[in-house]
Amino acid sequence: MTVTRRSLLLGATAAFTLGTAARAATPTGPQLLHITRDPSCGCCTAWADLAREAGYMVEITETDDYAGMKAEAGVPEPLWACHTARVGGYIVEGHVPFAAIARLLAERPDITGIAVPGMPLDSPGMGGGLHATADVVAWGGLAGDATPFAF
């Protein structure tokens, strides 16, 4: 069998496409990502759009009660960011990269959630695209108050 450049490119494209869709998919379909956000926050909308692009089924709840949103989810104050999401039984706070969410859901560690505190420039939804990165911390359970979360 002869391998051509075209067949290699087609194979690589197919593998990337399948890998991207598999990150957010479950055997029964796309993973639900529920985002709670302030109705006037544009970067939250940008992050939600990227979540859809990553293959998540997105639901959004809007609230003007910022502190209440964080307290209800149990997010420690030093980790607060603009929006709070729930996926697969975990809390995802702020502009968390989608590769970190994929690792969280694949490995299912004994933690409460992961966060990107604040609103760092070039993180997903803050100028960065689908594959943008940022420093992520885990908290709760085995992670304690805040432990770096590698992805």
Side-chain angles (χ1 to χ4, degrees):
M1 180 171 116
T2 304
V3 177
T4 65
R5 181 175 174 205
R6 183 172 189 265
S7 64
L8 282 174
L9 288 173
L10 287 172
T13 301
F16 176 79
T17 302
L18 290 172
T20 300
R23 280 199 313 242
T26 66
T28 58
Q31 182 82 31
L32 175 64
L33 182 74
H34 186 98
I35 302 167
T36 304
R37 67 181 205 103
D38 181 284
S40 64
C41 185
C43 65
C44 297
T45 301
W47 192 79
D49 290 343
L50 291 172
R52 287 183 190 96
E53 186 178 334
Y56 293 92
M57 182 173 57
V58 175
E59 288 183 353
I60 298 175
T61 299
E62 295 183 341
T63 181
D64 292 322
D65 185 6
Y66 181 82
M69 164 178 48
K70 306 305 176 187
E72 192 273 325
V75 179
E77 192 169 346
L79 304 182
W80 285 7
C82 61
H83 56 268
T84 302
R86 295 173 187 269
V87 62
Y90 292 100
I91 304 298
V92 176
E93 178 69 8
H95 293 272
V96 174
F98 296 97
I101 298 171
R103 176 176 171 230
L104 175 72
L105 296 174
E107 295 182 4
R108 309 223 32 97
D110 181 15
I111 62 174
T112 302
I114 56 178
V116 171
M119 298 169 65
L121 289 177
D122 297 325
S123 61
M126 284 293 298
L130 181 61
H131 302 291
T133 63
D135 292 334
V136 178
V137 295
W139 86 91
L142 296 176
D145 292 337
T147 302
F149 185 79
F151 60 95

